[in-house]
Amino acid sequence: MTSQTHDRLLIIDFGSQVTQLIARRLRELNVYCEIHPYQKVDDAFLREMSPKAVILSGGPDSVTREGSPRAPQSLFEMGLPILGICYGQQVMMHQLGGKVESGHGTAEFGRAYVTPTGATLDILGGWFSEGREQVWMSHGDHVSEIAPGFEVYGTSPNAPYAITADASRHFYAVQFHPEVHHTPNGARLYENFVRMAGFEGDWTMGAYREEAIARIREQVGDKKVICGLSGGVDSSVTAILLHEAIGDQLTCVFVDHGLLRKNESDEVVAMFRDNYNIQLIHADETELFLGELDGQSDPETKRKIIGKLFIDVFQKHADTIEDAEFLAQGTLYPDVIESVSFSGGPSVTIKSHHNVGGLPEKMGLKLVEPLRELFKDEVRALGRELGLPQSFIGRHPFPGPGLAIRCPGEITRPKLDILREADAVYIDQIRKHGLYDEIWQAFVAILPVRTVGVMGDGRTYDYACALRAVTSVDGMTADYYPFSHEFLGETATRIINEVPGINRVTYDITSKPPGTIEWE
Ligand code: XMP
């Protein structure tokens, strides 16, 4: 779908692992861009899309190989500013009359430093203030002869043509990847490029919202959509966006497996039914889930039981919605990349993650995934745009199997009740101390041990619990949060005083790896 109201930037994708990051850098500049695979981009496509500027991405192929990807030759005659990156740079040189060679010991991977040649170039404003710039290289081939009209503006030890340009035509070509984190000043280069090209930076989340709504309407027509709601940010934003787009054609299904936190189920239902007037099936399946989990203590068995029941129950309720043709999912861009295995083989399963994957095929439904192009923080921004309260948007992640994996050993109702209370006190403490937003995730795990204590003049024999709080960027690695001793002492005292059934509190200081964030 193409924005009708904003200037458009076209990213021609030659298959680089980091093409999405180019889009991300541009969106941070409020520039509307679209990524399209090179196979799709021909003369007719260019005419119809009518971009204001074009970026040629990197890619794994070699322009020296016959049949390797190219840009349409007409692109270079349209008078548009073009920025070529890595493979994109080589395509540009090759198609404009320069030369690219393979290997010969000039491959460069990882950090490198580019030094200026002295000539000034508009898109290099703010660069080279320290005499050189750190960049991230990843290339086997290299340009050995630049195309007519081009000049050199930056060189690195293994890339004499690290930055070249034909300034009169606004063609720019760089060997490195300015979109990655390891090119610290890379965003500046994109900013200079889009400003030079005349973009006003008026594409915002508000605009994304409008466009996503139009796209949903176009895809769904007058058919019905089912959306599984967990109360997490992704499924909530998906549901609210869909509701704005198609109103009562949407029904949400919220499966309550009896493993939610204190008041969670009421909060989710109130939020969607009362505040947003969304049609919601609240499936209270506590008996079913806790019944099947009774006596089970193996972590994988618990996860598998929950995962299977979840699908059965979701399907049972979804089947009551007549003529549903679509299933909405809050799939994010990182889920899309993670679904591709580059190792070529199955990786070890640490935990069977629980989600509704596999449902659409089983139920014969088509997918609506309006967040597929977004990163997590963009989903949060969209949520804000849709009016979701900050308390909802900033929530810590909560795993699909819920409290089951925070209750090592057998799950019993009394233990779940104790856990809910302790967790509520802990989170309250964190909020009161203003630490909630600094922490990626925090929770209590109730341990399958009882210990002896003394309260008042009496002996106690109650459960021990562990507090967990971690910092993380993506949940893949994590470090424990360095609470002060005062905070820990105060929290332990509050939990023991306020939660009958717990008489000992410990703090888990394991990082990930070697630990995982959850206890099971
Ligand atoms: P671990 O425990 O593997 O967790 O370090 C990493 C992140 O994933 C969450 N998690 C899950 N999320 N379904 C989910 O949707 C699951 O089955 C699941 N298991 C763990 C965990 O809470 C942490 O944020």
Side-chain angles (χ1 to χ4, degrees):
M1 208 212 89
T2 292
S3 165
Q4 300 303 316
T5 47
H6 301 275
D7 289 330
R8 295 169 288 277
L9 190 147
L10 167 64
I11 301 170
I12 302 182
D13 184 17
F14 290 108
S16 159
Q17 302 283 315
V18 289
T19 302
Q20 278 285 338
L21 289 181
I22 305 176
R24 186 141 174 61
R25 295 286 92 84
L26 294 169
R27 294 211 210 139
E28 282 161 3
L29 297 164
N30 296 335
V31 166
Y32 180 82
C33 62
E34 291 180 18
I35 299 178
H36 292 283
Y38 73 92
Q39 300 96 322
K40 212 173 119 186
V41 180
D42 55 15
D43 296 359
F45 180 97
L46 287 171
R47 265 196 311 277
E48 196 191 326
M49 182 179 174
S50 177
K52 198 179 177 83
V54 176
I55 293 180
L56 308 176
S57 88
D61 216 324
S62 165
V63 296
T64 61
R65 188 186 68 77
E66 208 169 300
S68 56
R70 295 283 179 273
Q73 198 63 34
S74 61
L75 173 68
F76 302 105
E77 279 125 44
M78 294 173 76
L80 298 174
I82 302 175
L83 171 62
I85 293 162
C86 199
Y87 184 87
Q89 169 227 30
Q90 294 164 9
V91 157
M92 226 165 145
M93 286 304 148
H94 181 84
Q95 293 191 233
L96 292 172
K99 270 207 187 113
V100 177
E101 283 177 17
S102 281
H104 304 301
T106 52
E108 226 176 352
F109 294 96
R111 182 177 298 135
Y113 292 91
V114 176
T115 44
T117 55
T120 53
L121 183 66
D122 46 9
I123 68 159
L124 293 177
W127 266 49
F128 301 128
S129 55
E130 312 211 334
R132 61 178 194 168
E133 282 292 333
Q134 180 188 317
V135 299
W136 191 70
M137 293 279 192
S138 180
H139 64 104
D141 292 357
H142 66 281
V143 173
S144 56
E145 201 178 303
I146 47 177
F150 277 74
E151 267 183 63
V152 190
Y153 295 89
T155 63
S156 80
N158 272 351
Y161 301 123
I163 304 173
T164 61
D166 177 341
S168 64
R169 287 192 284 176
H170 297 297
F171 288 172
Y172 308 89
V174 299
Q175 180 58 73
F176 52 89
H177 288 268
E179 60 277 18
V180 305
H181 195 67
H182 292 94
T183 302
N185 215 0
R188 189 68 180 265
L189 203 133
Y190 284 114
E191 185 174 0
N192 293 338
F193 178 69
V194 299
R195 297 286 171 260
M196 175 280 308
F199 284 88
E200 299 200 352
D202 56 357
W203 187 79
T204 56
M205 256 310 149
Y208 184 86
R209 166 190 182 171
E210 297 309 316
E211 281 151 17
I213 286 174
R215 196 162 22 180
I216 292 167
R217 287 187 182 142
E218 195 180 307
Q219 187 189 0
V220 170
D222 57 3
K223 302 294 185 293
K224 288 196 179 149
V225 181
I226 306 166
C227 177
L229 209 58
S230 69
V233 181
D234 306 341
S235 67
S236 301
V237 172
T238 304
I240 292 167
L241 188 65
L242 270 142
H243 186 247
E244 266 206 22
I246 56 167
D248 282 351
Q249 287 163 252
L250 170 75
T251 305
C252 291
V253 179
F254 171 49
V255 177
D256 181 349
H257 47 24
L259 298 159
L260 298 170
R261 289 166 292 190
K262 190 177 177 184
N263 299 331
E264 187 153 31
S265 151
D266 292 345
E267 283 168 16
V268 171
V269 173
M271 163 92 173
F272 289 93
R273 209 179 258 163
D274 305 346
N275 288 354
Y276 282 94
N277 203 18
I278 291 181
Q279 298 193 71
L280 175 70
I281 299 177
H282 175 199
D284 183 355
E285 298 284 357
T286 305
E287 297 301 323
L288 175 70
F289 278 84
L290 296 191
E292 294 277 321
L293 287 167
D294 191 33
Q296 302 291 348
S297 57
D298 175 65
E300 274 300 286
T301 310
K302 282 155 78 174
R303 278 179 171 272
K304 293 236 162 77
I305 290 173
I306 296 168
K308 180 184 173 303
L309 283 182
F310 194 92
I311 292 186
D312 290 350
V313 168
F314 187 85
Q315 185 160 12
K316 180 179 88 187
H317 290 281
D319 282 346
T320 63
I321 302 159
E322 270 175 42
D323 345 307
E325 270 193 29
F326 292 91
L327 177 74
Q329 282 188 341
T331 314
L332 304 194
Y333 180 63
D335 306 331
V336 179
I337 350 183
E338 274 172 18
S339 64
V340 182
S341 161
F342 293 103
S343 60
S347 50
V348 180
T349 304
I350 307 291
K351 299 177 182 187
S352 326
H353 266 225
H354 150 105
N355 55 36
V356 286
L359 258 182
E361 302 87 72
K362 217 174 154 188
M363 299 175 65
L365 295 172
K366 290 176 238 163
L367 275 179
V368 192
E369 297 179 309
L371 312 183
R372 233 183 124 80
E373 296 152 24
L374 301 186
F375 291 86
K376 187 87 179 179
D377 53 333
E378 292 178 317
V379 174
R380 293 206 166 102
L382 181 59
R384 272 188 282 277
E385 187 62 41
L386 290 163
L388 260 170
Q390 179 57 31
S391 57
F392 229 81
I393 290 168
R395 286 176 106 198
H396 291 171
F398 186 65
L403 300 181
I405 58 176
R406 297 175 180 178
C407 186
E410 284 186 28
I411 299 167
T412 63
R413 284 169 201 255
K415 271 162 87 178
L416 287 175
D417 288 341
I418 295 170
L419 175 55
R420 279 191 191 98
E421 291 303 321
D423 194 73
V425 174
Y426 180 43
I427 298 299
D428 181 56
Q429 275 286 101
I430 289 174
R431 285 199 189 278
K432 277 200 175 125
H433 284 76
L435 302 173
Y436 191 84
D437 294 335
E438 278 182 38
I439 294 169
W440 159 268
Q441 203 169 7
F443 57 86
V444 175
I446 183 163
L447 305 186
V449 276
R450 297 227 231 159
T451 72
V452 174
V454 52
M455 280 173 88
D457 287 327
R459 174 186 193 265
T460 58
Y461 186 52
D462 285 332
Y463 286 108
C465 74
L467 312 181
R468 184 93 167 117
V470 294
T471 53
S472 177
V473 176
D474 49 17
M476 307 295 281
T477 56
D479 211 348
Y480 76 87
Y481 186 80
F483 286 124
S484 68
H485 284 257
E486 290 72 26
F487 174 89
L488 289 170
E490 191 183 300
T491 306
T493 305
R494 266 196 70 189
I495 290 176
I496 292 167
N497 286 348
E498 294 174 34
V499 185
I502 289 190
N503 70 353
R504 195 173 294 264
V505 176
T506 64
Y507 186 46
D508 175 359
I509 56 164
T510 320
S511 60
K512 172 183 181 176
T516 55
I517 296 175
E518 304 288 347
W519 271 54
E520 288 194 336

